[in-house]
Amino acid sequence: MNEYKGIPRKRLPAGVRTDTLAVREGLPATPWGENSEALFLTSSFVHPDCATAAARFANEEDAFVYSRFSNPTVAMFERRLAAMEGTEACIATASGMAAILILVMGLLQRGDHVVCSQSVFGSTIRLFQDFAKFGVDTTFVPQEDAGAWRAAMRPNTKMLFAETPSNPLTTVSDIAALAGIAHAGGALLVVDNCFCSPALQLPVNFGADLVMHSGTKYLDGQGRVMAGAVCGPKALVEGRLVPVMRSAGMCLSPFNAWVVLKGLETLSIRMRAQSARALQVAQWLEQQPQVARVWHPSLPSHPQHALAMAQQGGQGGAVVSFALRASDADEARRRAFALIDATQICSITANLGDTKTTITHPSSTSHSRLSEAQRQAAGITQGLIRLAVGLEDVQDLIDDLQRGMEPA
Ligand SMILES: *Cc1c(COP(=O)(O)O)cnc(C)c1O
Protein backbone atom coordinates (compact mmCIF):
# COMPACT_ATOMS: atom_id res chain seq x y z
CA MET A 1 0.00 0.00 0.00
CA ASN A 2 2.68 2.55 -0.78
CA GLU A 3 1.11 3.73 -4.05
CA TYR A 4 -2.00 5.81 -4.44
CA LYS A 5 -4.65 3.79 -6.31
CA GLY A 6 -6.96 6.74 -6.65
CA ILE A 7 -10.70 6.52 -6.24
CA PRO A 8 -13.47 7.81 -8.45
CA ARG A 9 -14.59 11.05 -6.80
CA LYS A 10 -18.27 11.61 -6.25
CA ARG A 11 -19.52 15.17 -6.41
CA LEU A 12 -22.43 16.34 -4.26
CA PRO A 13 -25.46 16.87 -6.47
CA ALA A 14 -26.51 20.52 -6.75
CA GLY A 15 -29.31 21.58 -4.45
CA VAL A 16 -28.89 19.05 -1.64
CA ARG A 17 -30.42 20.20 1.64
CA THR A 18 -28.80 21.51 4.82
CA ASP A 19 -28.74 18.21 6.74
CA THR A 20 -26.86 16.66 3.83
CA LEU A 21 -24.46 19.59 3.55
CA ALA A 22 -23.79 19.36 7.31
CA VAL A 23 -22.50 15.82 6.83
CA ARG A 24 -21.04 15.93 3.30
CA GLU A 25 -19.87 19.44 2.34
CA GLY A 26 -16.10 19.89 2.38
CA LEU A 27 -13.21 19.11 0.08
CA PRO A 28 -12.82 15.87 -1.89
CA ALA A 29 -11.23 12.94 -0.08
CA THR A 30 -7.54 12.32 -0.74
CA PRO A 31 -6.69 9.54 -3.18
CA TRP A 32 -6.48 7.14 -0.20
CA GLY A 33 -10.27 7.29 -0.10
CA GLU A 34 -10.79 8.03 3.60
CA ASN A 35 -14.51 8.24 4.48
CA SER A 36 -14.11 10.51 7.51
CA GLU A 37 -12.47 13.87 6.76
CA ALA A 38 -8.69 13.85 7.09
CA LEU A 39 -6.87 15.91 9.71
CA PHE A 40 -4.04 17.79 8.00
CA LEU A 41 -1.71 18.64 10.87
CA THR A 42 0.90 20.45 8.83
CA SER A 43 2.12 24.01 9.04
CA SER A 44 3.30 24.23 5.44
CA PHE A 45 2.77 22.61 2.03
CA VAL A 46 5.41 21.64 -0.52
CA HIS A 47 5.60 22.77 -4.12
CA PRO A 48 6.74 20.56 -6.98
CA ASP A 49 9.21 23.17 -8.28
CA CYS A 50 10.26 26.82 -7.97
CA ALA A 51 8.11 28.09 -10.83
CA THR A 52 4.99 26.63 -9.21
CA ALA A 53 6.00 28.05 -5.82
CA ALA A 54 6.43 31.47 -7.40
CA ALA A 55 3.02 31.28 -9.07
CA ARG A 56 1.39 30.28 -5.80
CA PHE A 57 3.03 33.07 -3.82
CA ALA A 58 1.91 35.53 -6.52
CA ASN A 59 -1.68 34.24 -6.08
CA GLU A 60 -1.68 33.18 -9.75
CA GLU A 61 -2.36 29.60 -8.75
CA ASP A 62 -4.73 28.45 -6.02
CA ALA A 63 -2.98 26.12 -3.59
CA PHE A 64 -2.33 25.56 0.08
CA VAL A 65 0.88 27.31 1.09
CA TYR A 66 1.00 27.86 4.84
CA SER A 67 -1.55 27.06 7.55
CA ARG A 68 -1.77 30.66 8.78
CA PHE A 69 -3.30 31.40 5.34
CA SER A 70 -5.29 28.23 4.75
CA ASN A 71 -5.31 24.51 5.46
CA PRO A 72 -7.47 21.73 3.95
CA THR A 73 -9.09 20.73 7.26
CA VAL A 74 -9.80 24.35 8.14
CA ALA A 75 -11.13 24.94 4.61
CA MET A 76 -13.49 21.98 4.98
CA PHE A 77 -14.91 23.47 8.18
CA GLU A 78 -15.28 26.87 6.48
CA ARG A 79 -17.04 25.45 3.42
CA ARG A 80 -19.40 23.37 5.52
CA LEU A 81 -20.34 26.21 7.90
CA ALA A 82 -20.83 28.65 5.00
CA ALA A 83 -23.14 26.14 3.32
CA MET A 84 -25.14 25.73 6.53
CA GLU A 85 -25.42 29.51 7.15
CA GLY A 86 -26.35 30.10 3.51
CA THR A 87 -23.42 32.46 2.86
CA GLU A 88 -20.89 32.53 0.02
CA ALA A 89 -17.85 32.36 2.24
CA CYS A 90 -16.54 31.76 5.75
CA ILE A 91 -13.28 32.38 7.56
CA ALA A 92 -12.39 30.31 10.61
CA THR A 93 -10.69 31.90 13.61
CA ALA A 94 -8.95 30.73 16.78
CA SER A 95 -11.92 31.62 18.99
CA GLY A 96 -15.20 33.51 18.94
CA MET A 97 -13.46 36.62 20.25
CA ALA A 98 -10.87 36.36 17.46
CA ALA A 99 -13.80 36.37 15.00
CA ILE A 100 -14.94 39.75 16.37
CA LEU A 101 -11.34 41.02 16.31
CA ILE A 102 -10.92 40.14 12.63
CA LEU A 103 -14.30 41.73 11.80
CA VAL A 104 -13.27 45.04 13.34
CA MET A 105 -9.71 44.98 11.97
CA GLY A 106 -10.96 44.11 8.50
CA LEU A 107 -14.06 46.29 8.20
CA LEU A 108 -13.56 49.37 10.40
CA GLN A 109 -11.09 52.18 10.76
CA ARG A 110 -10.39 55.18 12.98
CA GLY A 111 -13.42 57.48 13.12
CA ASP A 112 -15.96 54.71 12.55
CA HIS A 113 -18.84 54.05 14.94
CA VAL A 114 -20.55 50.83 16.06
CA VAL A 115 -23.98 50.26 17.59
CA CYS A 116 -24.09 47.14 19.76
CA SER A 117 -26.63 45.49 22.02
CA GLN A 118 -25.90 46.03 25.72
CA SER A 119 -26.83 42.37 26.34
CA VAL A 120 -24.05 40.74 24.29
CA PHE A 121 -21.43 38.38 25.72
CA GLY A 122 -19.35 40.17 28.40
CA SER A 123 -16.01 39.87 26.56
CA THR A 124 -17.67 41.27 23.43
CA ILE A 125 -18.61 44.43 25.36
CA ARG A 126 -15.06 44.74 26.71
CA LEU A 127 -13.51 44.21 23.27
CA PHE A 128 -15.70 46.89 21.66
CA GLN A 129 -14.83 49.24 24.55
CA ASP A 130 -11.12 48.53 23.92
CA PHE A 131 -11.43 49.57 20.26
CA ALA A 132 -12.05 53.14 21.48
CA LYS A 133 -8.29 53.54 21.91
CA PHE A 134 -7.94 52.93 18.16
CA GLY A 135 -10.63 55.51 17.39
CA VAL A 136 -13.60 53.17 16.90
CA ASP A 137 -16.42 54.15 19.28
CA THR A 138 -19.35 51.97 20.29
CA THR A 139 -22.80 52.91 21.58
CA PHE A 140 -24.54 50.17 23.59
CA VAL A 141 -28.33 49.99 23.30
CA PRO A 142 -31.13 47.81 24.70
CA GLN A 143 -31.34 44.45 22.94
CA GLU A 144 -35.03 44.51 21.97
CA ASP A 145 -35.62 48.26 21.45
CA ALA A 146 -35.31 48.88 17.69
CA GLY A 147 -36.06 52.58 18.26
CA ALA A 148 -32.96 52.89 20.47
CA TRP A 149 -30.82 51.26 17.76
CA ARG A 150 -32.18 53.72 15.19
CA ALA A 151 -31.63 56.70 17.51
CA ALA A 152 -28.00 55.64 18.10
CA MET A 153 -27.14 55.76 14.39
CA ARG A 154 -24.62 58.44 13.35
CA PRO A 155 -23.37 59.44 9.90
CA ASN A 156 -20.17 57.46 10.65
CA THR A 157 -21.94 54.30 11.91
CA LYS A 158 -20.49 51.40 9.93
CA MET A 159 -21.54 48.34 11.92
CA LEU A 160 -24.47 47.10 14.02
CA PHE A 161 -23.66 44.13 16.22
CA ALA A 162 -26.38 41.92 17.73
CA GLU A 163 -26.51 38.61 19.55
CA THR A 164 -29.88 36.88 19.71
CA PRO A 165 -31.27 35.43 21.89
CA SER A 166 -29.34 37.10 24.69
CA ASN A 167 -27.61 35.44 27.62
CA PRO A 168 -28.96 34.68 30.19
CA LEU A 169 -32.50 36.11 29.76
CA THR A 170 -33.05 34.99 26.12
CA THR A 171 -34.21 38.45 25.00
CA VAL A 172 -34.66 38.46 21.25
CA SER A 173 -33.53 41.07 18.72
CA ASP A 174 -35.65 41.50 15.59
CA ILE A 175 -32.96 40.77 12.97
CA ALA A 176 -35.02 42.06 10.03
CA ALA A 177 -35.72 45.35 11.83
CA LEU A 178 -32.03 45.81 12.69
CA ALA A 179 -31.01 44.97 9.10
CA GLY A 180 -33.39 47.70 7.87
CA ILE A 181 -31.87 50.24 10.28
CA ALA A 182 -28.32 49.24 9.33
CA HIS A 183 -28.89 49.38 5.60
CA ALA A 184 -30.78 52.69 5.74
CA GLY A 185 -27.63 54.14 7.34
CA GLY A 186 -25.16 52.45 5.01
CA ALA A 187 -23.92 50.12 7.77
CA LEU A 188 -23.47 46.36 8.01
CA LEU A 189 -25.43 44.15 10.41
CA VAL A 190 -23.38 41.44 12.15
CA VAL A 191 -25.23 38.75 14.13
CA ASP A 192 -23.53 36.53 16.71
CA ASN A 193 -25.42 33.27 16.03
CA CYS A 194 -23.81 31.31 18.84
CA PHE A 195 -26.96 30.56 20.87
CA CYS A 196 -29.13 29.21 18.04
CA SER A 197 -26.51 28.05 15.52
CA PRO A 198 -27.52 27.62 11.86
CA ALA A 199 -29.53 24.57 12.89
CA LEU A 200 -32.23 26.89 14.31
CA GLN A 201 -31.59 30.39 12.96
CA LEU A 202 -30.26 31.71 9.65
CA PRO A 203 -29.61 35.45 10.20
CA VAL A 204 -28.88 36.13 6.51
CA ASN A 205 -32.46 35.10 5.69
CA PHE A 206 -33.59 38.09 7.79
CA GLY A 207 -31.14 40.50 6.15
CA ALA A 208 -27.97 40.17 8.27
CA ASP A 209 -24.79 40.81 6.29
CA LEU A 210 -22.36 38.78 8.38
CA VAL A 211 -22.77 35.99 10.91
CA MET A 212 -20.17 35.29 13.56
CA HIS A 213 -19.72 32.22 15.74
CA SER A 214 -18.05 30.99 18.82
CA GLY A 215 -17.43 27.45 17.55
CA THR A 216 -16.47 26.67 21.14
CA LYS A 217 -20.17 26.32 21.96
CA TYR A 218 -22.77 24.37 19.96
CA LEU A 219 -20.71 23.85 16.78
CA ASP A 220 -18.23 21.69 18.70
CA GLY A 221 -21.06 20.73 21.00
CA GLN A 222 -19.04 18.67 23.43
CA GLY A 223 -16.99 21.34 25.17
CA ARG A 224 -13.61 20.28 23.75
CA VAL A 225 -11.97 23.06 21.74
CA MET A 226 -11.89 26.80 21.12
CA ALA A 227 -12.96 27.94 17.66
CA GLY A 228 -14.64 30.83 15.88
CA ALA A 229 -15.81 31.88 12.43
CA VAL A 230 -17.24 34.72 10.34
CA CYS A 231 -19.63 33.87 7.49
CA GLY A 232 -20.65 36.34 4.78
CA PRO A 233 -20.33 37.48 1.20
CA LYS A 234 -17.11 36.67 -0.69
CA ALA A 235 -16.38 40.35 -1.26
CA LEU A 236 -16.14 40.97 2.50
CA VAL A 237 -14.72 37.64 3.72
CA GLU A 238 -12.13 37.12 0.99
CA GLY A 239 -11.64 40.78 0.12
CA ARG A 240 -11.42 42.27 3.62
CA LEU A 241 -10.93 39.55 6.25
CA VAL A 242 -8.57 37.07 4.58
CA PRO A 243 -5.82 39.72 4.19
CA VAL A 244 -6.05 40.44 7.96
CA MET A 245 -5.78 36.73 8.73
CA ARG A 246 -2.67 36.41 6.58
CA SER A 247 -0.89 39.17 8.48
CA ALA A 248 -2.46 39.04 11.95
CA GLY A 249 -2.70 35.25 12.30
CA MET A 250 -5.71 34.60 14.54
CA CYS A 251 -6.03 31.30 12.65
CA LEU A 252 -7.90 28.18 13.72
CA SER A 253 -5.68 25.19 14.45
CA PRO A 254 -6.33 22.29 12.03
CA PHE A 255 -6.95 19.97 14.97
CA ASN A 256 -9.64 22.25 16.41
CA ALA A 257 -11.08 22.71 12.92
CA TRP A 258 -11.37 18.95 12.57
CA VAL A 259 -13.21 18.67 15.90
CA VAL A 260 -15.77 21.37 15.02
CA LEU A 261 -16.09 20.06 11.46
CA LYS A 262 -17.18 16.69 12.85
CA GLY A 263 -19.38 18.50 15.37
CA LEU A 264 -21.33 20.11 12.53
CA GLU A 265 -22.46 16.65 11.39
CA THR A 266 -24.59 16.23 14.52
CA LEU A 267 -25.43 19.91 15.12
CA SER A 268 -29.01 19.78 13.90
CA ILE A 269 -30.08 16.72 15.89
CA ARG A 270 -28.27 17.97 18.99
CA MET A 271 -29.85 21.44 18.82
CA ARG A 272 -33.33 20.02 18.32
CA ALA A 273 -32.95 17.48 21.12
CA GLN A 274 -31.41 19.99 23.55
CA SER A 275 -34.02 22.60 22.68
CA ALA A 276 -36.85 20.10 23.31
CA ARG A 277 -35.35 19.10 26.67
CA ALA A 278 -34.91 22.76 27.61
CA LEU A 279 -38.59 23.39 26.93
CA GLN A 280 -39.60 20.40 29.09
CA VAL A 281 -37.42 21.66 31.94
CA ALA A 282 -38.80 25.20 31.48
CA GLN A 283 -42.39 23.94 31.61
CA TRP A 284 -41.65 21.99 34.80
CA LEU A 285 -39.94 25.02 36.38
CA GLU A 286 -42.95 27.23 35.59
CA GLN A 287 -45.08 24.92 37.77
CA GLN A 288 -42.80 25.05 40.83
CA PRO A 289 -44.02 27.28 43.69
CA GLN A 290 -40.39 28.19 44.53
CA VAL A 291 -39.86 29.69 41.08
CA ALA A 292 -40.89 33.32 40.47
CA ARG A 293 -40.25 33.42 36.72
CA VAL A 294 -38.85 31.33 33.87
CA TRP A 295 -37.28 32.59 30.62
CA HIS A 296 -37.29 30.37 27.53
CA PRO A 297 -38.36 31.53 24.05
CA SER A 298 -40.63 28.49 23.49
CA LEU A 299 -42.81 29.38 26.49
CA PRO A 300 -45.92 31.37 25.54
CA SER A 301 -45.09 33.54 28.60
CA HIS A 302 -41.87 34.74 26.90
CA PRO A 303 -42.45 38.42 26.00
CA GLN A 304 -41.18 37.85 22.43
CA HIS A 305 -42.45 34.33 21.94
CA ALA A 306 -43.93 34.94 18.47
CA LEU A 307 -40.86 36.76 17.12
CA ALA A 308 -38.53 34.11 18.56
CA MET A 309 -40.51 31.26 17.04
CA ALA A 310 -40.55 32.96 13.62
CA GLN A 311 -36.84 33.72 13.73
CA GLN A 312 -35.63 30.48 15.34
CA GLY A 313 -37.44 27.89 13.24
CA GLY A 314 -40.00 27.24 15.98
CA GLN A 315 -37.32 26.23 18.51
CA GLY A 316 -36.40 27.96 21.74
CA GLY A 317 -32.78 26.86 22.02
CA ALA A 318 -31.11 25.08 24.93
CA VAL A 319 -30.73 27.95 27.41
CA VAL A 320 -33.30 28.33 30.20
CA SER A 321 -33.10 30.86 33.01
CA PHE A 322 -35.24 31.06 36.12
CA ALA A 323 -35.53 33.25 39.20
CA LEU A 324 -36.20 31.81 42.65
CA ARG A 325 -38.71 33.43 44.94
CA ALA A 326 -37.22 35.10 48.01
CA SER A 327 -38.01 37.96 50.36
CA ASP A 328 -34.76 39.82 49.65
CA ALA A 329 -31.57 39.67 47.61
CA ASP A 330 -29.54 37.90 50.32
CA GLU A 331 -32.10 35.15 50.68
CA ALA A 332 -32.37 34.85 46.89
CA ARG A 333 -28.62 34.39 46.58
CA ARG A 334 -28.54 31.81 49.40
CA ARG A 335 -31.39 29.84 47.80
CA ALA A 336 -29.77 29.97 44.36
CA PHE A 337 -26.42 28.78 45.72
CA ALA A 338 -28.18 25.99 47.65
CA LEU A 339 -30.03 24.77 44.56
CA ILE A 340 -26.92 24.83 42.37
CA ASP A 341 -24.72 23.17 45.01
CA ALA A 342 -27.27 20.39 45.56
CA THR A 343 -27.19 19.27 41.90
CA GLN A 344 -25.41 15.97 41.31
CA ILE A 345 -25.60 15.88 37.50
CA CYS A 346 -25.37 19.47 36.23
CA SER A 347 -21.86 20.91 35.83
CA ILE A 348 -21.28 24.17 37.69
CA THR A 349 -19.67 26.19 34.91
CA ALA A 350 -20.48 29.37 33.02
CA ASN A 351 -19.75 27.62 29.70
CA LEU A 352 -22.57 26.36 27.48
CA GLY A 353 -23.15 24.50 24.26
CA ASP A 354 -22.19 21.13 25.66
CA THR A 355 -23.99 17.78 25.73
CA LYS A 356 -23.43 18.03 29.51
CA THR A 357 -25.98 20.31 31.15
CA THR A 358 -24.34 23.32 32.80
CA ILE A 359 -25.73 25.45 35.62
CA THR A 360 -24.54 28.86 36.70
CA HIS A 361 -25.37 31.83 38.92
CA PRO A 362 -24.87 34.78 36.51
CA SER A 363 -24.77 37.57 39.11
CA SER A 364 -21.72 36.07 40.89
CA THR A 365 -19.94 34.74 37.76
CA SER A 366 -20.49 35.98 34.18
CA HIS A 367 -22.03 39.27 35.34
CA SER A 368 -20.03 39.74 38.57
CA ARG A 369 -18.07 42.71 37.18
CA LEU A 370 -21.24 44.78 36.84
CA SER A 371 -22.40 46.89 39.78
CA GLU A 372 -25.51 45.66 41.63
CA ALA A 373 -27.45 48.61 40.09
CA GLN A 374 -26.35 47.62 36.56
CA ARG A 375 -27.32 44.01 37.28
CA GLN A 376 -30.74 45.05 38.54
CA ALA A 377 -31.26 47.13 35.38
CA ALA A 378 -30.31 44.14 33.25
CA GLY A 379 -32.56 41.78 35.23
CA ILE A 380 -29.61 39.72 36.52
CA THR A 381 -30.95 39.31 40.04
CA GLN A 382 -29.44 37.32 42.92
CA GLY A 383 -32.08 34.62 42.57
CA LEU A 384 -31.41 34.06 38.87
CA ILE A 385 -30.03 30.70 37.69
CA ARG A 386 -29.07 29.84 34.10
CA LEU A 387 -29.19 26.34 32.71
CA ALA A 388 -27.74 25.30 29.35
CA VAL A 389 -29.52 22.02 28.83
CA GLY A 390 -27.55 19.11 27.39
CA LEU A 391 -28.49 15.62 26.31
CA GLU A 392 -29.03 13.82 29.63
CA ASP A 393 -32.40 12.21 30.31
CA VAL A 394 -34.78 15.07 30.98
CA GLN A 395 -36.38 13.43 34.03
CA ASP A 396 -32.93 13.05 35.61
CA LEU A 397 -32.34 16.76 35.02
CA ILE A 398 -35.66 17.66 36.62
CA ASP A 399 -34.85 15.41 39.61
CA ASP A 400 -31.46 17.15 39.84
CA LEU A 401 -33.08 20.60 40.06
CA GLN A 402 -35.64 19.34 42.57
CA ARG A 403 -32.87 18.24 44.96
CA GLY A 404 -31.89 21.74 46.02
CA MET A 405 -35.33 23.40 45.97
CA GLU A 406 -36.13 24.52 49.48
CA PRO A 407 -39.73 24.11 50.63
CA ALA A 408 -41.76 27.03 49.26
C1 LIG B 1 -18.54 32.23 24.19
C2 LIG B 1 -19.14 33.29 23.38
C3 LIG B 1 -18.34 34.15 22.62
C4 LIG B 1 -16.83 34.09 22.65
O1 LIG B 1 -16.35 32.92 22.07
P1 LIG B 1 -14.97 32.23 22.51
O2 LIG B 1 -14.92 31.06 21.58
O3 LIG B 1 -15.07 31.89 23.96
O4 LIG B 1 -13.89 33.23 22.24
C5 LIG B 1 -18.96 35.09 21.82
N1 LIG B 1 -20.30 35.19 21.80
C6 LIG B 1 -21.10 34.38 22.51
C7 LIG B 1 -22.56 34.53 22.43
C8 LIG B 1 -20.55 33.42 23.33
O5 LIG B 1 -21.35 32.64 24.08
Side-chain angles (χ1 to χ4, degrees), residues 94-98 100 121 123-124 163 167 192 194-195 212-217 226-228 351-352:
S95 66
M97 296 318 300
I100 301 174
F121 188 63
S123 299
T124 305
E163 174 190 318
N167 178 30
D192 180 336
C194 176
F195 270 62
M212 66 111 339
H213 273 287
S214 167
T216 315
K217 312 292 169 50
M226 305 295 300
N351 196 26
L352 60 105

Coordinates of all heavy atoms in Angstrom, one line a residue, residues 94-98 100 121 123-124 163 167 192 194-195 212-217 226-228 351-352, ligand 1:
A94 N -9.4 31.5 15.6 CA -9.0 30.7 16.8 C -10.0 30.6 17.9 O -10.0 29.7 18.7 CB -7.7 31.4 17.3
S95 N -10.9 31.6 18.0 CA -11.9 31.6 19.0 C -13.0 32.5 18.5 O -12.9 33.2 17.5 CB -11.3 32.2 20.3 OG -11.0 33.5 20.2
G96 N -14.1 32.6 19.3 CA -15.2 33.5 18.9 C -14.7 35.0 19.1 O -15.1 35.8 18.2
M97 N -13.9 35.2 20.1 CA -13.5 36.6 20.3 C -12.5 37.0 19.1 O -12.6 38.2 18.6 CB -12.7 36.8 21.6 CG -13.6 36.6 22.8 SD -15.3 37.3 22.7 CE -14.9 39.1 22.5
A98 N -11.7 36.1 18.6 CA -10.9 36.4 17.5 C -11.7 36.7 16.2 O -11.3 37.4 15.3 CB -9.9 35.2 17.2
I100 N -14.5 38.3 16.2 CA -14.9 39.8 16.4 C -13.7 40.7 16.1 O -13.9 41.7 15.4 CB -15.5 40.0 17.8 CG1 -16.8 39.1 18.0 CG2 -15.9 41.5 17.9 CD1 -17.4 39.2 19.4
F121 N -22.4 39.1 24.9 CA -21.4 38.4 25.7 C -20.5 39.4 26.4 O -20.1 40.4 25.7 CB -20.7 37.4 24.8 CG -19.7 36.5 25.4 CD1 -20.1 35.5 26.3 CD2 -18.4 36.6 25.0 CE1 -19.2 34.6 26.8 CE2 -17.5 35.7 25.6 CZ -17.9 34.7 26.5
S123 N -17.3 39.6 27.2 CA -16.0 39.9 26.6 C -16.2 40.7 25.3 O -15.3 41.4 24.9 CB -15.3 38.6 26.2 OG -15.0 37.9 27.4
T124 N -17.4 40.5 24.6 CA -17.7 41.3 23.4 C -17.8 42.7 23.8 O -17.3 43.6 23.1 CB -19.0 40.8 22.8 OG1 -18.8 39.4 22.5 CG2 -19.3 41.5 21.5
E163 N -26.6 40.0 19.2 CA -26.5 38.6 19.5 C -27.9 38.2 20.0 O -28.5 38.8 20.9 CB -25.5 38.5 20.7 CG -25.3 37.2 21.3 CD -24.5 37.2 22.6 OE1 -23.5 38.0 22.6 OE2 -24.9 36.6 23.6
N167 N -28.0 36.3 26.5 CA -27.6 35.4 27.6 C -27.7 36.3 28.9 O -27.1 37.4 28.8 CB -26.2 35.0 27.4 CG -25.6 34.1 28.5 OD1 -26.4 33.5 29.2 ND2 -24.3 34.2 28.7
D192 N -24.2 37.6 16.0 CA -23.5 36.5 16.7 C -24.6 35.4 16.8 O -25.5 35.6 17.6 CB -23.0 37.0 18.1 CG -22.3 36.0 18.9 OD1 -22.6 34.8 18.7 OD2 -21.6 36.3 19.8
C194 N -24.3 32.4 18.0 CA -23.8 31.3 18.8 C -24.9 30.5 19.5 O -24.9 29.3 19.6 CB -22.9 32.0 19.9 SG -22.3 30.9 21.1
F195 N -26.0 31.2 20.0 CA -27.0 30.6 20.9 C -27.9 29.7 20.1 O -28.4 28.7 20.6 CB -27.8 31.6 21.7 CG -27.1 31.9 23.0 CD1 -25.9 32.4 23.1 CD2 -27.8 31.6 24.2 CE1 -25.3 32.7 24.3 CE2 -27.2 31.8 25.4 CZ -25.9 32.4 25.4
M212 N -21.4 35.8 12.9 CA -20.2 35.3 13.6 C -20.5 34.2 14.6 O -21.7 34.1 15.0 CB -19.3 36.4 14.2 CG -20.0 37.1 15.3 SD -19.4 37.0 17.0 CE -18.5 35.6 17.2
H213 N -19.5 33.4 14.9 CA -19.7 32.2 15.7 C -18.6 32.1 16.8 O -17.4 32.3 16.4 CB -19.7 30.9 14.9 CG -21.1 30.6 14.4 ND1 -22.1 30.1 15.2 CD2 -21.6 30.7 13.1 CE1 -23.2 30.0 14.5 NE2 -22.9 30.3 13.2
S214 N -19.0 31.6 17.9 CA -18.0 31.0 18.8 C -18.3 29.5 18.6 O -19.2 28.9 19.0 CB -18.3 31.3 20.3 OG -17.6 30.4 21.1
G215 N -17.3 28.9 17.8 CA -17.4 27.4 17.5 C -17.2 26.6 18.8 O -17.5 25.4 18.8
T216 N -16.7 27.3 19.8 CA -16.5 26.7 21.1 C -17.8 26.1 21.7 O -17.7 25.2 22.6 CB -15.9 27.8 22.1 OG1 -14.9 28.5 21.4 CG2 -15.3 27.2 23.3
K217 N -18.9 26.7 21.3 CA -20.2 26.3 22.0 C -20.8 25.2 21.2 O -20.3 24.1 21.1 CB -21.0 27.6 22.1 CG -20.3 28.8 22.7 CD -19.9 28.6 24.1 CE -18.9 29.7 24.6 NZ -19.3 31.1 24.4
M226 N -11.6 25.4 21.4 CA -11.9 26.8 21.1 C -11.9 26.9 19.6 O -11.0 26.4 18.9 CB -10.8 27.8 21.7 CG -10.5 27.7 23.1 SD -11.8 28.1 24.2 CE -12.1 29.8 23.7
A227 N -12.9 27.7 19.1 CA -13.0 27.9 17.7 C -13.9 29.1 17.4 O -14.7 29.5 18.3 CB -13.5 26.7 16.9
G228 N -13.8 29.7 16.3 CA -14.6 30.8 15.9 C -14.7 30.9 14.4 O -14.0 30.2 13.7
N351 N -19.8 28.0 31.1 CA -19.8 27.6 29.7 C -21.1 27.1 29.3 O -22.0 26.7 30.1 CB -18.6 26.6 29.4 CG -18.3 26.5 28.0 OD1 -18.5 27.4 27.2 ND2 -17.9 25.3 27.6
L352 N -21.3 26.9 28.0 CA -22.6 26.4 27.5 C -22.3 25.7 26.1 O -21.2 25.8 25.6 CB -23.6 27.5 27.4 CG -23.3 28.6 26.4 CD1 -24.1 28.5 25.1 CD2 -23.6 29.9 27.1
Ligands
LIG1 C1 -18.5 32.2 24.2 C2 -19.1 33.3 23.4 C3 -18.3 34.2 22.6 C4 -16.8 34.1 22.7 O1 -16.4 32.9 22.1 P1 -15.0 32.2 22.5 O2 -14.9 31.1 21.6 O3 -15.1 31.9 24.0 O4 -13.9 33.2 22.2 C5 -19.0 35.1 21.8 N1 -20.3 35.2 21.8 C6 -21.1 34.4 22.5 C7 -22.6 34.5 22.4 C8 -20.6 33.4 23.3 O5 -21.4 32.6 24.1

